[in-house]
Amino acid sequence: MKQLKQLEAAASFVSNKLKCEPTGHDAAHIDRVRLLAVNIAAQEGGSLFIIEMAAFVHDLIDEKLSNERKLSTHQLKQQLLLWEVDARDIRYIIDIVTTMSFRHRHVQHKPITLEGAIVQDADRLDAIGASGIARVFTYAGAKGEPHYTKDLHEGSVLKHMEEKLLKLKDLMNTHTGKQLADERHKFMCLFIKTWKEECGLTDE
Ligand code: ADP
Ligand code: NI
């Protein structure tokens, strides 16, 4: 199979698998990450095939997916083989998707590849800005998590935004990713400020 056909096969497989996914890893998230990654690559370089394929499959092995959507790493490899992706490219792609998650950033033991850096930046960008705000509320709705609480130790949308999402701009790998993250960060700060004012949560 030619690379274009492989990417088309992946796009259709993933959009089918993640249709209506309720925790913010839906097909539209994958679409945005792919587009962001391609735009970053236009400035930063890297293999477009690897970047697009990794963007398409990056959330299929996420622990947060329900059992009928989630693939094991082995199953993902088999799927890539089925699309006739080159064995070396499969290793490269699997390496990207298994090391890029926010949760895994502390256990990363080797330097991230350029393609991995780009897809990770794209994924992190989709967790901030307007899309990021929308996704947090989606996640909270699916998990029954409150918007905010008086007890600051309890999980909430506001806590997640302040403790996790506001840190993402400083974790960007590429120069282009950082520039895009700065814009989204500013927008999110404005949202949080306005939201807290409306809710009577302004810090003294
Ligand atoms: P990744 O794509 O890096 O694996 P996650 O799976 O951690 O990201 O998160 C998916 C989406 O859900 C993100 O938009 C994230 O901000 C949001 N999210 C994750 N954990 C929480 C939480 N405890 N409360 C609200 N939103 C969350
Ligand atoms: Ni993702």
Side-chain angles (χ1 to χ4, degrees):
M1 231 193 277
K2 288 265 167 25
Q3 288 188 337
L4 187 62
K5 288 267 171 240
Q6 293 170 338
L7 290 170
E8 281 169 7
S12 122
F13 178 85
V14 171
S15 85
N16 206 26
K17 267 259 177 237
L18 299 183
K19 192 163 44 186
C20 304
E21 198 283 333
T23 66
H25 304 91
D26 58 336
H29 161 65
I30 306 300
D31 243 27
R32 291 190 302 270
V33 171
R34 187 191 68 86
L35 193 63
L36 279 163
V38 168
N39 287 340
I40 297 172
Q43 303 300 320
E44 307 279 339
S47 154
L48 261 189
F49 173 72
I50 297 284
I51 288 169
E52 287 195 74
M53 189 56 98
F56 276 134
V57 302
H58 82 273
D59 270 336
L60 288 175
I61 55 169
D62 195 295
E63 298 147 26
K64 287 184 181 146
L65 293 188
S66 60
N67 285 337
E68 71 274 15
R69 292 193 172 89
K70 189 169 41 198
L71 301 189
S72 65
T73 306
H74 176 71
Q75 287 170 321
L76 178 55
K77 275 185 205 157
Q78 294 302 312
Q79 197 54 58
L80 289 162
L81 269 177
L82 212 67
W83 297 326
E84 298 168 15
V85 177
D86 210 77
R88 208 191 38 184
D89 287 349
I90 293 182
R91 280 198 297 279
Y92 209 95
I93 291 162
I94 293 289
D95 184 64
I96 292 175
V97 300
T98 51
T99 53
M100 67 179 265
S101 116
F102 187 76
R103 287 182 298 285
H104 293 141
R105 72 191 193 285
H106 296 303
V107 291
Q108 209 163 282
H109 38 276
K110 52 186 163 190
I112 194 165
T113 57
L114 173 60
E115 289 81 2
I118 289 174
V119 180
Q120 186 177 57
D121 277 2
D123 195 34
R124 285 176 172 165
L125 281 167
D126 202 54
I128 55 178
S131 299
I133 293 169
R135 289 178 73 215
V136 176
F137 285 100
T138 299
Y139 181 94
K143 300 284 175 187
E145 193 182 76
H147 285 184
Y148 51 88
T149 57
K150 291 213 166 69
D151 177 356
L152 294 178
H153 297 291
E154 262 178 60
S156 71
V157 166
L158 184 59
K159 184 175 153 80
H160 183 74
M161 282 184 181
E162 292 190 319
E163 291 186 0
K164 291 244 172 84
L165 304 185
L166 290 182
K167 292 187 179 142
L168 289 181
K169 82 166 171 45
D170 294 325
L171 296 174
M172 302 305 286
N173 303 298
T174 66
H175 178 68
T176 311
K178 173 110 186 78
Q179 281 180 328
L180 294 168
D182 282 344
E183 290 297 309
R184 288 178 182 230
H185 182 86
K186 277 189 213 134
F187 179 72
M188 217 164 52
C189 288
L190 178 63
F191 173 83
I192 292 172
K193 181 175 172 288
T194 311
W195 189 33
K196 283 171 94 167
E197 279 166 11
E198 287 179 9
C199 300
L201 297 170
T202 28
D203 318 309
E204 283 308 305

